[in-house]
Protein backbone atom coordinates (compact mmCIF):
# COMPACT_ATOMS: atom_id res chain seq x y z
CA UNK A 1 0.00 0.00 0.00
CA UNK A 2 2.85 2.37 1.01
CA UNK A 3 4.75 1.53 -2.21
CA UNK A 4 1.66 2.27 -4.26
CA UNK A 5 1.19 5.62 -2.48
CA UNK A 6 4.82 6.57 -3.11
CA UNK A 7 4.39 5.69 -6.80
CA UNK A 8 1.32 7.93 -7.09
CA UNK A 9 3.12 10.83 -5.37
CA UNK A 10 6.13 10.43 -7.65
CA UNK A 11 3.89 10.40 -10.73
CA UNK A 12 2.09 13.54 -9.53
CA UNK A 13 5.40 15.32 -8.90
CA UNK A 14 6.63 14.40 -12.38
CA UNK A 15 3.42 15.78 -13.90
CA UNK A 16 3.75 19.06 -11.96
CA UNK A 17 7.38 19.50 -13.04
CA UNK A 18 6.45 18.84 -16.67
CA UNK A 19 3.67 21.38 -16.45
CA UNK A 20 6.04 23.98 -15.01
CA UNK A 21 8.45 23.33 -17.83
CA UNK A 22 5.60 23.71 -20.34
CA UNK A 23 4.52 26.98 -18.78
CA UNK A 24 8.07 28.28 -19.00
CA UNK A 25 8.11 27.47 -22.71
CA UNK A 26 4.79 29.21 -23.22
CA UNK A 27 6.03 32.36 -21.50
CA UNK A 28 9.09 32.44 -23.71
CA UNK A 29 6.99 32.05 -26.87
CA UNK A 30 4.53 34.68 -25.66
CA UNK A 31 7.38 37.08 -24.98
CA UNK A 32 8.75 36.69 -28.49
CA UNK A 33 5.27 37.26 -29.87
CA UNK A 34 5.05 40.53 -27.89
CA UNK A 35 8.31 41.96 -29.21
CA UNK A 36 6.77 45.41 -29.83
CA UNK A 37 4.51 44.44 -32.75
CA UNK A 38 1.14 46.21 -32.93
CA UNK A 39 -2.24 45.29 -34.33
CA UNK A 40 -3.63 48.42 -36.00
CA UNK A 41 -7.29 49.18 -36.65
CA UNK A 42 -7.34 51.78 -39.43
CA UNK A 43 -10.53 53.86 -39.41
CA UNK A 44 -11.50 55.14 -42.86
CA UNK A 45 -14.99 56.04 -44.15
CA UNK A 46 -17.84 54.59 -46.14
CA UNK A 47 -16.99 51.87 -48.65
CA UNK A 48 -18.10 54.06 -51.56
CA UNK A 49 -15.90 57.00 -50.58
CA UNK A 50 -12.19 57.75 -51.01
CA UNK A 51 -10.98 57.04 -47.48
CA UNK A 52 -11.76 53.33 -47.61
CA UNK A 53 -9.69 52.46 -50.72
CA UNK A 54 -6.84 54.55 -49.33
CA UNK A 55 -6.88 52.34 -46.26
CA UNK A 56 -6.84 49.26 -48.46
CA UNK A 57 -3.87 50.57 -50.44
CA UNK A 58 -1.86 51.42 -47.31
CA UNK A 59 -2.62 48.21 -45.41
CA UNK A 60 0.13 46.10 -47.10
CA UNK A 61 2.56 49.03 -46.89
CA UNK A 62 2.30 49.18 -43.11
CA UNK A 63 2.16 45.40 -42.70
CA UNK A 64 5.65 45.14 -44.17
CA UNK A 65 6.92 46.64 -40.92
CA UNK A 66 8.32 44.31 -38.28
CA UNK A 67 6.59 46.60 -35.77
CA UNK A 68 3.15 45.83 -37.19
CA UNK A 69 1.43 42.50 -36.69
CA UNK A 70 -1.57 43.27 -38.91
CA UNK A 71 -3.72 46.19 -40.10
CA UNK A 72 -7.51 45.95 -40.14
CA UNK A 73 -9.13 48.50 -42.46
CA UNK A 74 -12.47 49.49 -40.95
CA UNK A 75 -15.35 51.23 -42.71
CA UNK A 76 -16.64 53.99 -40.42
CA UNK A 77 -18.74 57.15 -40.35
CA UNK A 78 -15.55 59.05 -41.31
CA UNK A 79 -13.97 62.01 -39.49
CA UNK A 80 -16.07 62.50 -36.36
CA UNK A 81 -16.43 58.76 -35.72
CA UNK A 82 -12.73 58.18 -36.40
CA UNK A 83 -11.62 60.77 -33.86
CA UNK A 84 -13.98 59.37 -31.23
CA UNK A 85 -12.83 55.81 -31.97
CA UNK A 86 -9.19 56.78 -31.43
CA UNK A 87 -10.13 58.51 -28.18
CA UNK A 88 -11.92 55.31 -27.10
CA UNK A 89 -8.93 53.15 -28.20
CA UNK A 90 -11.04 51.37 -30.85
CA UNK A 91 -8.83 52.65 -33.70
CA UNK A 92 -5.10 53.30 -33.66
CA UNK A 93 -5.00 55.12 -37.01
CA UNK A 94 -7.58 57.02 -39.06
CA UNK A 95 -8.19 59.49 -41.88
CA UNK A 96 -9.99 62.73 -41.08
CA UNK A 97 -10.74 66.14 -42.56
CA UNK A 98 -8.79 69.00 -40.99
CA UNK A 99 -11.86 71.08 -40.14
CA UNK A 100 -13.24 68.27 -37.98
CA UNK A 101 -9.82 67.75 -36.43
CA UNK A 102 -9.62 71.46 -35.65
CA UNK A 103 -13.01 71.38 -33.93
CA UNK A 104 -11.94 68.33 -31.90
CA UNK A 105 -8.75 70.01 -30.70
CA UNK A 106 -10.52 73.29 -29.89
CA UNK A 107 -13.61 71.65 -28.40
CA UNK A 108 -15.90 73.29 -30.96
CA UNK A 109 -18.99 72.15 -32.87
CA UNK A 110 -19.74 68.48 -32.31
CA UNK A 111 -16.88 68.35 -29.80
CA UNK A 112 -18.07 71.29 -27.68
CA UNK A 113 -17.04 70.63 -24.10
CA UNK A 114 -15.34 67.42 -25.19
CA UNK A 115 -11.97 68.39 -26.68
CA UNK A 116 -9.86 65.50 -27.97
CA UNK A 117 -6.08 65.11 -28.25
CA UNK A 118 -5.43 64.66 -31.97
CA UNK A 119 -1.96 63.79 -33.28
CA UNK A 120 -1.11 63.81 -36.96
CA UNK A 121 1.08 61.40 -38.88
CA UNK A 122 0.81 62.91 -42.36
CA UNK A 123 -1.16 65.22 -44.59
CA UNK A 124 -2.97 64.11 -47.74
CA UNK A 125 -5.04 65.57 -50.57
CA UNK A 126 -7.53 68.42 -50.17
CA UNK A 127 -11.30 68.31 -50.31
CA UNK A 128 -11.84 71.28 -52.59
CA UNK A 129 -14.73 73.71 -52.17
CA UNK A 130 -16.31 73.78 -55.64
CA UNK A 131 -19.21 76.11 -56.42
CA UNK A 132 -20.85 75.75 -59.80
CA UNK A 133 -23.56 77.96 -61.27
CA UNK A 134 -25.72 77.86 -64.37
CA UNK A 135 -24.11 80.10 -66.99
CA UNK A 136 -27.32 82.04 -67.58
CA UNK A 137 -27.84 82.67 -63.83
CA UNK A 138 -25.58 85.73 -63.86
CA UNK A 139 -23.56 84.34 -60.93
CA UNK A 140 -19.85 85.05 -61.31
CA UNK A 141 -18.87 85.76 -57.69
CA UNK A 142 -19.84 84.67 -54.18
CA UNK A 143 -21.66 87.98 -53.68
CA UNK A 144 -23.83 87.16 -56.72
CA UNK A 145 -25.41 84.26 -54.80
CA UNK A 146 -27.60 86.80 -53.02
CA UNK A 147 -31.22 86.31 -54.04
CA UNK A 148 -30.44 83.03 -55.87
CA UNK A 149 -31.54 79.41 -55.47
CA UNK A 150 -28.62 77.49 -53.99
CA UNK A 151 -27.95 73.87 -52.99
CA UNK A 152 -25.80 73.78 -49.85
CA UNK A 153 -25.40 70.06 -49.18
CA UNK A 154 -27.13 67.80 -46.69
CA UNK A 155 -27.92 69.13 -43.22
CA UNK A 156 -24.85 68.92 -40.98
CA UNK A 157 -22.57 67.72 -43.78
CA UNK A 158 -19.08 69.03 -44.45
CA UNK A 159 -20.48 70.58 -47.62
CA UNK A 160 -23.00 72.62 -45.66
CA UNK A 161 -20.38 73.69 -43.12
CA UNK A 162 -18.23 75.04 -45.95
CA UNK A 163 -21.22 76.71 -47.61
CA UNK A 164 -22.10 78.59 -44.42
CA UNK A 165 -18.51 79.72 -43.89
CA UNK A 166 -18.08 80.90 -47.50
CA UNK A 167 -21.33 82.87 -47.36
CA UNK A 168 -20.33 84.32 -44.01
CA UNK A 169 -17.07 85.59 -45.54
CA UNK A 170 -19.09 87.96 -47.76
CA UNK A 171 -21.67 88.78 -45.06
CA UNK A 172 -24.40 86.55 -46.49
CA UNK A 173 -26.65 84.08 -44.69
CA UNK A 174 -29.34 81.67 -45.84
CA UNK A 175 -31.86 84.46 -45.36
CA UNK A 176 -30.17 86.39 -48.18
CA UNK A 177 -30.84 83.57 -50.65
CA UNK A 178 -34.18 83.14 -52.40
CA UNK A 179 -34.10 79.37 -51.91
CA UNK A 180 -31.90 76.95 -49.99
CA UNK A 181 -32.01 73.20 -50.60
CA UNK A 182 -30.20 70.63 -48.48
CA UNK A 183 -29.48 68.24 -51.32
CA UNK A 184 -26.66 65.78 -51.87
CA UNK A 185 -24.41 65.96 -54.92
CA UNK A 186 -26.59 63.93 -57.29
CA UNK A 187 -29.80 65.72 -56.33
CA UNK A 188 -28.18 69.15 -56.60
CA UNK A 189 -27.03 68.33 -60.13
CA UNK A 190 -30.50 67.11 -61.10
CA UNK A 191 -32.10 70.25 -59.68
CA UNK A 192 -29.69 72.40 -61.67
CA UNK A 193 -30.47 70.46 -64.83
CA UNK A 194 -34.17 71.08 -64.19
CA UNK A 195 -33.61 74.78 -63.59
CA UNK A 196 -34.72 74.55 -59.95
CA UNK A 197 -31.32 75.67 -58.62
CA UNK A 198 -29.03 78.43 -59.84
CA UNK A 199 -25.93 77.14 -58.09
CA UNK A 200 -24.68 74.44 -55.75
CA UNK A 201 -21.80 73.77 -53.37
CA UNK A 202 -19.62 70.66 -53.62
CA UNK A 203 -16.77 69.90 -51.20
CA UNK A 204 -14.81 66.92 -52.44
CA UNK A 205 -11.77 65.75 -54.29
CA UNK A 206 -11.27 66.89 -57.88
CA UNK A 207 -12.85 65.81 -60.14
CA UNK A 208 -16.28 65.29 -58.66
CA UNK A 209 -18.12 62.89 -60.96
CA UNK A 210 -21.40 64.73 -60.43
CA UNK A 211 -19.89 67.99 -61.65
CA UNK A 212 -18.39 66.15 -64.62
CA UNK A 213 -21.86 64.88 -65.46
CA UNK A 214 -23.29 68.40 -65.22
CA UNK A 215 -20.55 69.83 -67.43
CA UNK A 216 -21.41 67.35 -70.18
CA UNK A 217 -25.08 68.34 -70.28
CA UNK A 218 -25.40 71.95 -69.09
CA UNK A 219 -23.56 75.23 -69.57
CA UNK A 220 -22.09 76.16 -66.19
CA UNK A 221 -19.26 78.16 -64.72
CA UNK A 222 -17.21 77.76 -61.56
CA UNK A 223 -17.59 80.51 -58.96
CA UNK A 224 -14.16 81.35 -57.57
CA UNK A 225 -13.22 81.86 -53.93
CA UNK A 226 -10.29 84.22 -54.08
CA UNK A 227 -8.89 87.58 -52.99
CA UNK A 228 -10.38 89.06 -49.82
CA UNK A 229 -12.94 86.28 -49.52
CA UNK A 230 -10.30 83.56 -49.49
CA UNK A 231 -8.08 85.60 -47.17
CA UNK A 232 -10.93 86.08 -44.70
CA UNK A 233 -11.69 82.36 -44.69
CA UNK A 234 -8.10 81.29 -44.20
CA UNK A 235 -7.51 83.86 -41.47
CA UNK A 236 -10.54 82.82 -39.44
CA UNK A 237 -10.37 79.10 -40.18
CA UNK A 238 -6.76 77.86 -40.39
CA UNK A 239 -7.80 74.54 -41.90
CA UNK A 240 -8.59 76.25 -45.23
CA UNK A 241 -5.82 76.39 -47.81
CA UNK A 242 -5.60 78.06 -51.20
CA UNK A 243 -6.31 75.70 -54.08
CA UNK A 244 -6.28 76.08 -57.84
CA UNK A 245 -8.08 73.73 -60.21
CA UNK A 246 -5.76 73.84 -63.21
CA UNK A 247 -6.87 74.46 -66.78
CA UNK A 248 -6.31 71.99 -69.59
CA UNK A 249 -6.21 68.94 -67.33
CA UNK A 250 -8.47 66.30 -68.89
CA UNK A 251 -8.59 64.41 -65.62
CA UNK A 252 -9.91 67.52 -63.84
CA UNK A 253 -12.75 68.89 -65.96
CA UNK A 254 -10.46 70.06 -68.80
CA UNK A 255 -11.19 73.71 -67.96
CA UNK A 256 -10.37 76.55 -70.33
CA UNK A 257 -9.30 78.78 -67.43
CA UNK A 258 -7.95 77.87 -63.99
CA UNK A 259 -10.29 78.21 -61.01
CA UNK A 260 -9.08 79.73 -57.75
CA UNK A 261 -10.75 78.37 -54.64
CA UNK A 262 -9.94 76.89 -51.23
CA UNK A 263 -9.65 73.38 -49.91
CA UNK A 264 -9.65 71.49 -46.62
CA UNK A 265 -6.77 69.08 -46.19
CA UNK A 266 -7.33 65.47 -45.24
CA UNK A 267 -4.79 63.86 -42.95
CA UNK A 268 -3.80 60.62 -41.30
CA UNK A 269 -3.94 60.71 -37.52
CA UNK A 270 -2.65 58.15 -35.03
CA UNK A 271 -3.29 57.30 -31.42
CA UNK A 272 -1.04 59.11 -28.92
CA UNK A 273 -0.70 55.69 -27.26
CA UNK A 274 1.33 54.27 -30.17
CA UNK A 275 5.06 54.24 -29.49
CA UNK A 276 7.48 56.63 -31.15
CA UNK A 277 9.27 53.75 -32.88
CA UNK A 278 6.09 52.30 -34.38
CA UNK A 279 4.85 55.64 -35.75
CA UNK A 280 8.33 56.53 -36.99
CA UNK A 281 8.43 53.30 -39.01
CA UNK A 282 4.91 53.76 -40.40
CA UNK A 283 5.67 57.36 -41.39
CA UNK A 284 8.86 56.26 -43.12
CA UNK A 285 7.05 53.55 -45.06
CA UNK A 286 4.24 55.92 -46.06
CA UNK A 287 6.78 58.50 -47.27
CA UNK A 288 8.75 55.91 -49.25
CA UNK A 289 5.55 54.46 -50.77
CA UNK A 290 4.53 57.89 -52.07
CA UNK A 291 7.79 58.01 -53.98
CA UNK A 292 7.12 54.82 -55.95
CA UNK A 293 5.13 53.93 -59.06
CA UNK A 294 2.97 51.61 -56.96
CA UNK A 295 0.60 54.33 -55.68
CA UNK A 296 -2.76 52.99 -56.81
CA UNK A 297 -5.23 55.58 -55.45
CA UNK A 298 -5.29 58.84 -57.36
CA UNK A 299 -5.97 60.92 -54.23
CA UNK A 300 -2.60 59.89 -52.81
CA UNK A 301 -0.84 61.44 -55.82
CA UNK A 302 -2.26 64.92 -55.22
CA UNK A 303 0.21 66.02 -52.56
CA UNK A 304 3.96 65.76 -53.02
CA UNK A 305 5.61 63.62 -50.38
CA UNK A 306 7.86 66.46 -49.24
CA UNK A 307 4.71 68.48 -48.45
CA UNK A 308 2.94 65.94 -46.23
CA UNK A 309 4.31 67.41 -42.97
CA UNK A 310 3.48 71.03 -43.74
CA UNK A 311 0.52 73.16 -42.76
CA UNK A 312 -1.12 70.57 -40.51
CA UNK A 313 -3.66 71.83 -37.99
CA UNK A 314 -2.79 69.08 -35.47
CA UNK A 315 0.55 68.51 -33.73
CA UNK A 316 2.66 65.69 -35.09
CA UNK A 317 3.05 62.45 -33.19
CA UNK A 318 6.66 62.37 -31.85
CA UNK A 319 7.50 59.40 -34.10
CA UNK A 320 6.32 61.23 -37.24
CA UNK A 321 8.04 64.44 -36.18
CA UNK A 322 11.33 62.60 -35.70
CA UNK A 323 11.18 61.15 -39.22
CA UNK A 324 10.32 64.47 -40.87
CA UNK A 325 13.11 66.23 -38.97
CA UNK A 326 15.57 63.65 -40.29
CA UNK A 327 14.30 64.27 -43.82
CA UNK A 328 14.52 68.04 -43.36
CA UNK A 329 10.96 68.61 -44.63
CA UNK A 330 9.34 70.30 -41.64
CA UNK A 331 8.40 73.95 -42.07
Amino acid sequence: MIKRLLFVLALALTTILAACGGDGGSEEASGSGESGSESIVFGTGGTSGTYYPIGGALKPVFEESDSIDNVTVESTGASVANIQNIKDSLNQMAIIMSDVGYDAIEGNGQFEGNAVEVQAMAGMYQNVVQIVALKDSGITSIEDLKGKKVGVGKVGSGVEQSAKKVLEAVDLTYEDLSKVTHTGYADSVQEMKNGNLDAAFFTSGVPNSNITDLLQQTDINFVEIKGDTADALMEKYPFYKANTIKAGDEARYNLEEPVETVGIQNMIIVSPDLSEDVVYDMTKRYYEYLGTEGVSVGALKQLGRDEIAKGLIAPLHPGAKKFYEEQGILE
Side-chain angles (χ1 to χ4, degrees):
M1 181 71 179
I2 294 175
K3 289 182 179 180
R4 182 171 181 178
L5 180 61
L6 289 174
F7 174 76
V8 170
L9 289 174
L11 181 62
L13 180 60
T14 301
T15 302
I16 292 171
L17 289 174
C20 289
D23 284 344
S26 294
E27 286 179 8
E28 184 176 351
S30 177
S32 64
E34 296 175 357
S35 59
S37 63
E38 294 275 359
S39 292
I40 302 292
V41 178
F42 191 171
T44 57
T47 55
S48 63
T50 304
Y51 288 1
Y52 189 74
I54 287 176
L58 294 180
K59 170 182 167 69
V61 175
F62 296 136
E63 286 182 337
E64 288 179 358
S65 170
D66 291 336
S67 302
I68 304 299
D69 183 27
N70 69 283
V71 176
T72 301
V73 178
E74 185 175 77
S75 174
T76 70
S79 299
V80 173
N82 288 344
I83 290 172
Q84 192 62 48
N85 285 347
I86 283 187
K87 181 181 180 182
D88 296 340
S89 300
L90 300 176
N91 293 354
Q92 290 71 48
M93 171 181 284
I95 305 173
I96 66 168
M97 281 181 64
S98 289
D99 56 344
V100 179
Y102 180 82
D103 282 347
I105 293 168
E106 298 294 322
N108 297 332
Q110 298 177 77
F111 296 93
E112 186 171 355
N114 186 32
V116 180
E117 181 183 4
V118 177
Q119 291 190 355
M121 190 188 93
M124 295 195 302
Y125 69 102
Q126 291 185 23
N127 279 0
V128 182
V129 181
Q130 301 162 75
I131 308 168
V132 295
L134 297 176
K135 187 151 284 187
D136 60 6
S137 67
I139 300 171
T140 59
S141 69
I142 304 300
E143 291 85 351
D144 291 337
L145 292 173
K146 185 175 182 179
K148 301 297 184 179
K149 300 171 290 185
V150 184
V152 297
K154 294 182 179 179
V155 174
S157 67
V159 181
E160 187 189 27
Q161 296 305 310
S162 289
K164 286 182 175 180
K165 290 177 173 66
V166 171
L167 292 170
E168 174 191 89
V170 295
D171 296 322
L172 292 179
T173 68
Y174 286 171
E175 293 180 358
D176 296 306
L177 310 179
S178 67
K179 177 182 178 181
V180 174
T181 64
H182 291 90
T183 44
Y185 294 153
D187 288 337
S188 289
V189 164
Q190 191 59 50
E191 289 294 275
M192 289 184 72
K193 289 179 182 178
N194 294 339
N196 296 325
L197 286 180
D198 298 306
F201 282 79
F202 301 77
T203 301
S204 71
V206 178
N208 181 299
S209 60
N210 296 277
I211 296 177
T212 300
D213 174 49
L214 187 62
L215 276 166
Q216 293 171 347
Q217 301 186 45
T218 310
D219 290 333
I220 64 171
N221 57 269
F222 283 80
V223 182
E224 294 187 300
I225 303 173
K226 60 182 180 179
D228 292 342
T229 303
D231 290 342
L233 274 172
M234 290 186 285
E235 182 177 352
K236 186 171 183 179
Y237 304 106
F239 47 80
Y240 281 114
K241 294 185 176 184
N243 188 291
T244 299
I245 305 175
K246 297 179 180 179
D249 186 342
E250 292 185 2
R252 299 186 181 187
Y253 309 129
N254 198 24
L255 301 173
E256 293 182 2
E257 300 290 338
V259 173
E260 292 183 44
T261 183
V262 295
I264 303 168
Q265 187 172 32
N266 294 284
M267 61 182 182
I268 299 175
I269 62 172
V270 288
S271 169
D273 296 333
L274 287 176
S275 73
E276 181 176 313
D277 289 344
V278 167
V279 177
Y280 175 94
D281 194 33
M282 289 197 298
T283 307
K284 178 176 183 290
R285 291 177 184 280
Y286 177 63
Y287 177 84
E288 291 175 347
Y289 171 70
L290 294 181
T292 70
E293 296 295 324
V295 179
S296 57
V297 180
L300 291 176
K301 301 177 183 179
Q302 295 181 21
L303 185 67
R305 67 176 187 166
D306 287 337
E307 302 297 315
I308 61 177
K310 298 178 180 179
L312 300 173
I313 56 89
L316 286 165
H317 185 285
K321 184 178 180 182
K322 179 182 177 182
F323 175 77
Y324 295 134
E325 286 176 339
E326 291 179 359
Q327 294 299 309
I329 59 175
L330 281 178
E331 288 180 313

